């Protein structure tokens, strides 16, 4: 589905018309291209003053491994942290060019007045961020802080980040990553994702990184040797997920209903994957998935993407429309997961990624069935994450919650509602299937072991449910 308005405003005339009429001005977002650097520009690093340098050390390690062009703001202590990790950072004073990434370690902020250090870091460079730039703040989970001053100041970071996401425009995203004490080594895959063009349509998110196994990764093929199953893989978001996961090195078992066999075979053929024609609501769906997985030594990840809408206001909705949506979008996931857990189909450190929706967070007119199912997916992820953490096999579960993504599903929405959905976010545009796919690939990666129980919206910071 093409966004004609979005294309028009890329032209000089379109830009002028949109500016004069006060219309939204979507920026063409940078998206990841294989072989390109993770950060396509320079990074400005800063940190709140304090004794704990564990998170700054972890950030410095990542910057070193990226061979990024790094500038440092503030005193020499920050420079020392970076040089300790092998990063030769330049002083930011007098630097007038734009940065691609601003990254700030806020973990030492422990009282409300200390929040001024965050202001002092970002204020002078607020107009110095490139298009599709990244603003990232890293702190400690407020619920794990033992003093009120620390809890309130770490929680305060969220308001700052979400406001920056709404203010900066130009495709610039803003995120907050909370890392549990002692789990700094797990920051790597999450920080890389949010610094890169892979997170083009993800903004205003708060992600928690906790305990998990740390693994060595070949970052050019982070899923090499892994087997991943994607449901609803014949088109739309599921097709894009399959392609991205295969690009990252996985063997993908592409699953879709038998009626989509031809398209499914085309996708699987093009990515060197295999197919499984199956209705996920079938009584033996778990068994069939287990059989397919057994041929490849078990599953390293399953992506529960298949889903449907049957929109009607509640008064006009018949019980078939209710039942079908709950059954496909929610009950089938619960049933399949139960089977996979009971029969040890998932390998150690396996990843489960479910697809929710911002409708499940905000609710939506005409979608009582759909929003119920997608809110249920969030409940399923939260409950399962606790169980998996207690089991200690390194398996994680997370959800992506897409906003308005350009697919057949959204093409079917009436024009005026479609146009409103497309523009009501900080990016003033719809996302692409690849944006959900890239987010899924980050959550599905072996290196993301510390990310468990998160619901990550891929919605350009949609106003709905914000
Ligand atoms: P899509 O283009 O309709 O693709 C979904 C695929 O899942 C289709 O091939 C569909 O086959 C298949 N499927 C449906 N029921 C199935 C079943 N019982 N067993 C196996 N496969 C089944 O949808 P999409 O836009 O890519 O959406 C993918 C996921 O993202 C869904 O969970 C959706 O709710 C979620 N999402 C999408 C958006 C968006 O803006 N597009 C926003 C939020 C969330 P059929 O041909 O039979 O339908």
């Amino acid at each position: 589905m093409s966004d004609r308005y979005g294309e028009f405003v890329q032209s000089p005339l379109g830009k002028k018309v949109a500016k004069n009429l006060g219309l939204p001005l979507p920026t063409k977002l940078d998206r990841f291209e294989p072989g390109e650097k993770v950060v396509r520009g320079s990074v400005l690093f800063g940190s709140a003053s304090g004794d704990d340098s564990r998170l700054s050390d972890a950030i410095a390690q990542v910057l070193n491994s990226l061979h990024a062009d790094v500038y440092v703001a503030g005193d020499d202590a920050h420079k020392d942290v970076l040089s300790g990790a092998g990063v030769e950072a330049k002083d930011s004073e007098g630097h007038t060019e734009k940065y691609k990434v601003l990254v700030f370690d806020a973990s030492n902020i422990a009282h409300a007045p200390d929040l001024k250090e965050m202001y002092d870091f970002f204020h002078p460079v607020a107009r110095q961020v490139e298009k599709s730039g990244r603003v990232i703040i890293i702190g400690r989970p407020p619920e794990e802080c033992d003093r009120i001053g620390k809890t309130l100041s770490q929680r305060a970071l969220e308001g700052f980040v979400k406001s920056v996401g709404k203010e900066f425009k130009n495709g610039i995203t803003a995120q907050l990553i909370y890392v549990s004490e002692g789990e700094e080594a797990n920051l790597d895959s999450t920080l890389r994702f949010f610094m890169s063009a892979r997170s083009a349509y993800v903004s205003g998110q708060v992600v928690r990184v906790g305990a998990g196994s740390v693994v060595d990764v070949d970052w050019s093929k982070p899923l090499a040797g892994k087997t991943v199953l994607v449901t609803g893989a014949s088109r739309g978001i599921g097709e894009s997920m399959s392609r991205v996961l295969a690009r990252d090195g996985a063997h993908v078992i592409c699953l879709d209903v038998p009626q989509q066999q031809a398209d499914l075979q085309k996708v699987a053929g093009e990515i060197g994957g295999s197919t499984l024609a199956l209705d996920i609501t079938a009584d033996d769906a778990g068994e069939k998935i287990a059989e397919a997985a057994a041929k490849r030594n078990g599953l390293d990840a399953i992506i529960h993407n298949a889903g449907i809408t049957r929109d009607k206001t509640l008064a006009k909705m018949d019980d078939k429309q209710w039942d079908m949506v709950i059954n496909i979008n929610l009950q089938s996931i619960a049933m399949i997961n139960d089977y996979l857990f009971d029969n040890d189909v998932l390998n150690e450190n396996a990843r489960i990624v479910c697809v929710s929706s911002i409708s499940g967070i905000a609710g939506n007119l005409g979608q009582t069935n759909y929003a119920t199912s997608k809110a249920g997916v969030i409940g399923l992820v939260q409950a399962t994450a606790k169980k998996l953490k207690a089991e200690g096999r390194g398996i994680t579960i997370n959800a992506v919650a897409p906003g308005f993504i350009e697919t057949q599903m959204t093409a079917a929405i009436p024009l005026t509602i479609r146009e409103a959905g497309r523009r009501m976010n900080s990016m003033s545009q719809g996302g692409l299937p690849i944006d959900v796919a890239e987010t899924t690939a980050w959550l599905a990666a072996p290196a993301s072991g510390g990310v468990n129980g998160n619901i990550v919206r891929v919605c350009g910071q949609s106003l709905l449910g914000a």
Side-chain angles (χ1 to χ4, degrees), residues 232 234-237 255-257 260 278-280 305-308 328 355-357 370 374 402-405 407 409-410:
S234 72
R235 65 161 192 255
I237 293 172
L255 179 155
D256 214 303
V257 283
Q260 301 295 351
L278 177 70
D279 183 330
I280 52 169
N305 161 75
I308 61 160
I328 293 175
V355 179
S356 175
S357 162
Y370 184 74
K374 294 298 188 179
F404 185 100
I405 305 295
T407 63
M409 198 181 250
T410 44

Side-chain angles (χ1 to χ4, degrees), residues 142-174:
E143 63 280 9
E144 293 174 16
C145 297
D146 52 7
R147 280 166 294 122
I148 290 176
K150 179 110 188 190
T151 308
L152 71 85
S153 26
Q154 293 300 310
R155 180 63 180 78
L157 306 176
E158 195 172 325
F160 183 86
V161 162
K162 288 186 173 173
S163 301
V164 166
K166 290 181 180 176
E167 248 181 57
F168 277 27
K169 305 277 190 282
N170 285 327
I172 297 164
T173 66

Side-chain angles (χ1 to χ4, degrees), residues 29-33 38-40 100-101 132-136 171-175 177 189-205 207 247 427 431-432 434-442 456-461:
L29 304 179
D30 281 2
R31 289 196 166 85
F32 177 75
E33 295 289 341
V38 173
V39 179
R40 296 181 214 160
K100 193 72 178 183
V101 177
S132 284
R134 302 284 180 260
V135 172
I136 303 169
I172 297 164
T173 66
Q175 331 285 351
I177 308 172
S189 81
T190 299
L191 185 54
R192 277 170 174 267
F193 172 71
F194 282 125
M195 287 204 293
S196 76
R198 292 174 195 248
S199 53
Y201 197 62
V202 185
S203 191
Q205 297 307 290
V207 168
R247 176 203 71 193
M427 305 284 157
L432 302 180
I434 192 146
D435 298 323
V436 187
E438 296 282 14
T439 309
T440 302
W442 153 55
V456 182
R457 295 168 53 141
V458 186
C459 63
Q461 198 181 22

Side-chain angles (χ1 to χ4, degrees), residues 59-247:
I59 297 167
Q61 297 283 355
V62 177
L63 293 175
N64 182 43
S65 69
L66 295 179
H67 308 293
D69 185 20
V70 182
Y71 288 79
V72 64
D75 58 33
D76 285 346
H78 301 158
K79 237 182 181 161
D80 293 347
V81 166
L82 292 168
S83 61
V87 181
E88 286 313 318
K90 293 167 229 163
D91 204 319
S92 67
E93 212 165 295
H95 182 77
T96 50
E97 277 159 38
K98 293 194 168 181
Y99 298 103
K100 193 72 178 183
V101 177
L102 308 179
V103 56
F104 185 74
D105 169 10
S107 60
N108 279 310
I109 298 183
H111 306 282
D114 302 348
L115 289 162
K116 187 73 187 292
E117 291 199 48
M118 179 167 66
Y119 168 86
D120 289 340
F121 174 79
F122 286 104
H123 168 71
V125 290
R127 290 201 183 90
Q128 236 177 303
V129 187
E130 279 186 46
K131 278 186 178 176
S132 284
R134 302 284 180 260
V135 172
I136 303 169
I137 296 184
I138 307 184
R140 297 297 189 193
E143 63 280 9
E144 293 174 16
C145 297
D146 52 7
R147 280 166 294 122
I148 290 176
K150 179 110 188 190
T151 308
L152 71 85
S153 26
Q154 293 300 310
R155 180 63 180 78
L157 306 176
E158 195 172 325
F160 183 86
V161 162
K162 288 186 173 173
S163 301
V164 166
K166 290 181 180 176
E167 248 181 57
F168 277 27
K169 305 277 190 282
N170 285 327
I172 297 164
T173 66
Q175 331 285 351
L176 173 59
I177 308 172
Y178 285 130
V179 183
S180 298
E181 282 198 34
E183 306 301 342
E184 294 78 16
N186 283 321
L187 172 64
D188 205 345
S189 81
T190 299
L191 185 54
R192 277 170 174 267
F193 172 71
F194 282 125
M195 287 204 293
S196 76
R198 292 174 195 248
S199 53
Y201 197 62
V202 185
S203 191
Q205 297 307 290
V206 181
V207 168
R208 284 172 169 73
V209 175
S213 42
V214 180
V215 291
D216 276 338
V217 199
D218 166 3
W219 289 107
S220 65
K221 291 271 177 222
L223 281 153
K226 304 293 176 190
T227 300
V228 180
L229 184 140
V230 179
T231 71
S234 72
R235 65 161 192 255
I237 293 172
E239 174 185 353
S240 188
M241 286 170 167
S242 305
R243 292 188 187 280
V244 166
L245 293 162
R247 176 203 71 193

Side-chain angles (χ1 to χ4, degrees), residues 4-79:
R4 293 227 175 101
Y5 173 79
E7 283 159 19
F8 173 63
V9 294
Q10 299 306 325
S11 69
L13 172 68
K15 226 172 241 160
K16 210 167 157 191
V17 171
K19 248 188 181 159
N20 287 341
L21 296 177
L23 297 171
L25 254 173
T27 301
K28 192 170 187 315
L29 304 179
D30 281 2
R31 289 196 166 85
F32 177 75
E33 295 289 341
E36 280 197 359
K37 287 176 82 171
V38 173
V39 179
R40 296 181 214 160
S42 55
V43 178
L44 178 67
F45 167 79
S47 155
S49 49
D51 296 338
D52 187 351
S53 72
R54 287 175 294 176
L55 268 173
S56 286
D57 290 338
I59 297 167
Q61 297 283 355
V62 177
L63 293 175
N64 182 43
S65 69
L66 295 179
H67 308 293
D69 185 20
V70 182
Y71 288 79
V72 64
D75 58 33
D76 285 346
H78 301 158
K79 237 182 181 161

